[in-house]
Amino acid sequence: MITIEGLTFQYKNSNRNAVEDVHLSIRGGDFLGIIGESGAGKTTLIRAINGIIPHHLPGDYYGSVQIDGEDTFDVTPSAISLKVGTVFQDIDSQMIASVVEDEILFGLENYSIPRDEIEARLSGALDAVGISQLRYRNISHLSGGQKQKVAIAAIIALRPKILLLDEPTSELDPQSSLAIFRLLKELNEKHGLTIIVVEQKIMLLSEFVKELAVMKGGRLLLHGSVRNVLKNTEQIGKSGINCPRVATLSNRLTELGVKLDGVCVTLDEACSMARRLMYD
Amino acid sequence: MINVENVSFTYQQECTLKGITFHIDRGEFVALIGSNGAGKSTLSKLLNGLLKPASGTVTINGMDTRKTKSSTLARHIGFLFQNPDRQICKNTVADEIRFGLELVINDKALVQQRLDSTLQRFGFNPDSNPFQLSRGERQRLALASIIAAEPEILILDEPTTGLDYSECTQIMNTINELNSKGVTVVMVCHDMEVVLDYARRILVLSDGRLLADGSTKEIFRAEEVLHKASILPPQIPQLALRLGQGFENAFTVEEMAHSLVARTRPQFFEVKEDAI
Amino acid sequence: MKGFLDYALGDTFFHHLNPLIKLLISLLISIAAFISGSHLFIAALIALNLVMAARAGIFQRGVMLLAGLLKFSAFIFILQLLLVRRGNPLLHLPLNLVITDAGLSSAFLIVLRLIAGTMPLAIMLSITQMSDLSNVLVLKCKVPYKYAFALTTAIRFIPIFAGEMAGIIEAQTSRGVEMDTKNLFKKVGLILPLCVPLLITSVKKIEDSAISAEIRGFHLRTGQSCYKRYMVTAGDMAVLAFSAMLIALACIF
């Protein structure tokens, strides 16, 4: 569905490549998490998928990003947005309206969605995100987590096949962050949305996403199922990110000579692993 | 050092803190935890006089915050916010640190000396433009310009939010080093792993009340308190709680690994037990 | 002044007025305040503003607004008081300054006008959604959407910047900048350099906002895109007629 081949990009006025020779293919229905230290090229990769690069931010561009066989280089950003929706990190500045309903209407109106379809899309999006009760509320009075859900609903209303999120929880507390990831999982499983999320919180990623990509210095360092990626303790350590502690624990147990089936990525797994080691 | 006596605070007709009392000694490392809206940020701002209590008293080194100017308190207390961009207002790294120093130190020679040692300690290029640094570097600069003045107390309001893991570790290690030299640290923090790794005492806030006050280990084993304050403990202590008896002292990966190895049945070892 | 211009949700008569009519009546009331030379009439206009605020469910904000404007006007009041030398002297001050009855009267008049002229727009904007305002500007006034959007975005960002500024002042106070000084000139001197961090944050926020609008098809929008319809109702006509009457009264008094 998304095929990235040899993508290299250098921003104007910069002297190093923000992403370098990235090859990545993402199938429809995937739930991919991207992690890496700051400056690793995560945001640039997201921008290359939604067409902000090269259409809004100029620079040296090599390689290609194809969505359903169409090269983003040749398609206008507004055409890309119908397939790829993006939610940003800064919660307040991505809002354009003062009331939830209007925030969601904005995109629908811009794309001239037929009048008789608008109401269904509007209430459908609110419902899918679980914020129907917030429809007439003032956005500035909502909590950060609620605002981020409004941003997601505004994108979902446009019915994209792919949802990109750039550090959607960086301004949120643990409970709201968890709620956002639960929602993403539901959107992925129930609605079949392909989701790509850049995130610093490794524990959320390991709990919820299907695939994990680790970036460093503009390059894609590791990519695969969460379990396979988290096995590489050493490489992960070098890339400046942390493993969930339960993964570190199971890797440490293996070092100590304990036979395990594989690395634990969630607390639940660690718990059943420990019980199996100790009891029948 | 820090004395909070029966403090209440009201903001826009809403009572955000009710009857809070605690005492913090010199050299402690205290974390303030609680869910959003529990009153953590409000409490941290009461500690440096940004906010004044509606009733009760906050005293810092014997000074009542209601009777002392914020600028005077700033000589004793450094406050690091979540967003460094609200603090940084000069065009070079050196100017930024000097500006902070001159606010609290009158002696020019001393300002220069502190500036030089801070630049060296953090390895900053004095002429670089703060606004071209990365988010993590800007947070380090904000921290540097605060600790250059050598405050006795350091208050941190979510210092690691929005930072990646290595930036977070860098900031926290600097703070930890200061603490080991006797600086009192009070930190509002959402990241329970950071709290576990660095804080030695935890104050739990819930609905504007002080729900619990204890050592980090006590609090992360107090299931009922954590549940009431809707706090998810860090992974390893949470695993220890679930596994029950025998894991009371497992807080780190290493402690948990050894507690587990000691209880693992022999058939799960690759080699003979004596190799461990 | 916290919450100033932040949209106040509500279901009142005033909320349901056509956004354009809201702008128009606030303009008319302001004009009335400037035409009239009567202290009493302008004071009545201020009272009317408070009544409108109360009917719109934002009385408290109206009072806060009034208090804020009073503080702001104090400076102008004193200036006017000391500069006007016509009329009968009431009080002689050092430095050859004199307060006259005409000075007192004109100082009062200026302050009243300033307040009565500012309040209506602030109140009406508080109960108007910016998206409605831009929609109606596009639909009824044929303003190109880009300009209407720019205008409403600017207004929408005011409370965000105000919040940011409050945060910056907190951060600076914490490091020892004497923001709690009683000396107004010193305070202004301290606040000015803080515009640097505000500017940096603002530029970034505006860029993010532009990209966010762009990826939701902003530039595809046409004059007909708007989903909501904006009617001019009998209520709209009534308040408009009432405001016109105020102008007429202002000419008489």
Side-chain angles (χ1 to χ4, degrees), chain C residues 129-147:
Chain C
Q129 282 184 46
M130 288 308 123
S131 47
D132 285 340
L133 189 59
S134 60
N135 283 339
V136 81
L137 284 175
V138 173
L139 287 172
K140 305 281 183 209
C141 305
K142 306 295 172 208
V143 174
Y145 184 73
K146 271 183 193 165
Y147 298 107

Side-chain angles (χ1 to χ4, degrees), chain A residues 37-38 170 173-175 200 203 242 245-246 249 252 257-259 267-268 275-280, chain B residues 36 161 164-167 190 193 197 230 235 238-239 242 247 254 257 265 267-270 276:
Chain A
E37 52 189 4
S38 73
S170 76
D173 63 297
Q175 281 94 350
Q200 292 292 355
M203 277 185 292
N242 59 333
R245 301 226 170 154
V246 288
L249 174 69
R252 179 74 182 121
V258 179
K259 271 188 286 186
L267 188 71
D268 284 337
R275 293 215 166 100
R276 205 180 55 247
L277 291 179
M278 294 187 296
Y279 321 111
D280 277 320
Chain B
N36 262 15
T161 303
D164 68 36
Y165 177 68
S166 47
E167 291 168 338
H190 275 319
E193 307 278 357
D197 290 349
S230 18
Q235 279 192 327
Q238 210 178 337
L239 181 61
R242 285 218 212 162
F247 291 89
E254 210 47 40
R265 288 177 288 156
Q267 67 264 39
F268 284 100
F269 286 100
E270 306 237 347
I276 300 153

Side-chain angles (χ1 to χ4, degrees), chain C residues 97-110:
Chain C
L97 290 171
V98 62
I99 292 176
T100 68
D101 56 353
L104 197 62
S105 163
S106 86
F108 267 119
L109 194 64
I110 283 200

